[in-house]
Amino acid sequence: MTVSPPKPPGIARWLDLMRLGPQNLAIIRSSTYLLVFLGVAKISGAAKEIVIASAYGTSALVDAYALQTALAGWPVALFTMTSGVVFIPLLVRLSRTDAERARAVFRTLLGWASVFGLVCAAGCGALFWLFSARLGYHSAFRQMGLLVAATIPFGILSAVLAARLLAARRQVGTLLEAVTPLVIIAAIAALSGWLDGTLVLGFGTLAGFVLATFALAYAQGGAASGLLPNLAGSRDLASQIGTAMLIALAAQMIFSLGGTVLDQIVAAQLSPGANAIVNYTNKALTLVTSIAGIVVGRAVLPVLSEAALSGSAAATRLARGWSLTALLLGTVLGALLFINADLVIGLLYERGEFSRGDVAAVSRALRAGIGQLPFLFGSLVLAQWIASLRRFELLLLANVAAVACKVAMLAIFIGSAGIEAIFYATTAMYMTSFGVLALFAFRRQPITGRDR
């Protein structure tokens, strides 16, 4: 009888953590669906950009539309990123323990999301109107701004509806992200000969958001009365998520400011063209990191939240295995990108005025930033684990430490390493984030979650 050689302790521990139980299989299944649905949504978004470019080129209309959609999308994006980590664990816990209360809390979430969305829409619409008048744009641009601002309540309501689907492990919300760009494409194809371009883009974008919101509502199933916004349970909701929402928002804002915002500020102090190199490099990295963030957040968090109902130890064990797996996947992907950096950057950008010299400069920056991928992937899993236990103060602690580390690294090395120092500092930021969260995840006595 042959005896297999013993596995190294670290590998044996990882294999033990990653045994294909129902929870690990659920994460794998959700990740597979997400990658397919996300591919459809991304392709639809890219097709929308191609159609807009073909129809309107680089005109003032596209400039105004890009600015308006970027500004209108900011409160929606911030709300979506923050609310996901707060709402999903709450909805998972309540749906498993008190279904009636879960429905009431969900209606209250819809109520306050509606209020927040309407306030943001009014403020954004007024801003667009004043800016359009100040810049001398004619009334059609102002009308387009009002239509784009009107998308904000629907975007915020969609975030709440999508969170409920994710809490039920239903990934169809990701597929429905393709609705808005497809409607915009249809509007350009059908209305360009009949309406001014400002109205085509404005009405097309608003119609896309409205249809996407109704599609998400339809996907909920059940009676329509369960989707009526209601503010009656506001006190109960505030006790559930009030402090958590504020802490999660602070953590998200700190980390976002320490990311591309800080990169651009520092690059502006360097040689001419540094900002462009940093921007191109970050966009290339975002192609990977944004997909990873979406897949991890939407596939892992609902399963971890369910595991947390059985106790902190169950969720911690699951998070340990997947954080190490994510670390390994990030290392493999980083190695492939490092080897093929010139090819990737060339395929993405090398055309027109973007020369081979520009490819070389951006490739050097990309290789300097690839070290962040393993730690980013690993920390994404651990951040979802923290969210499942509702210990958002630990996430805030990790983010503050990570951004402080990046600032210190930049202060020390920016003079000697130049542009590459920005990406080395980003790697140090994610390494610090992973290290702080891992201290809590891998300690002998797991941290406990919050009941409320």
Side-chain angles (χ1 to χ4, degrees), residues 331-351:
T331 302
V332 172
L333 182 58
L336 292 173
L337 276 176
F338 189 91
I339 295 169
N340 298 290
D342 293 292
L343 175 63
V344 171
I345 297 302
L347 289 173
L348 287 174
Y349 302 124
E350 191 180 1
R351 56 187 60 88

Side-chain angles (χ1 to χ4, degrees), residues 246-269:
L246 291 175
I247 295 174
L249 179 61
Q252 182 62 45
M253 291 186 68
I254 288 170
F255 213 67
S256 62
L257 290 174
T260 55
V261 174
L262 180 59
D263 291 350
Q264 295 293 331
I265 292 173
V266 173
Q269 316 303 315

Side-chain angles (χ1 to χ4, degrees), residues 317-335:
R317 175 186 173 85
L318 196 61
R320 286 172 178 172
W322 278 99
S323 66
L324 294 176
T325 302
L327 195 73
L328 177 62
L329 290 174
T331 302
V332 172
L333 182 58

Side-chain angles (χ1 to χ4, degrees), residues 308 311-313 385-386 388-391 446-452:
S312 302
W385 166 68
I386 290 292
S388 72
L389 299 180
R390 300 164 62 81
R391 295 295 299 271
I447 65 171
T448 57
R450 297 200 187 282
D451 293 331
R452 296 186 64 83

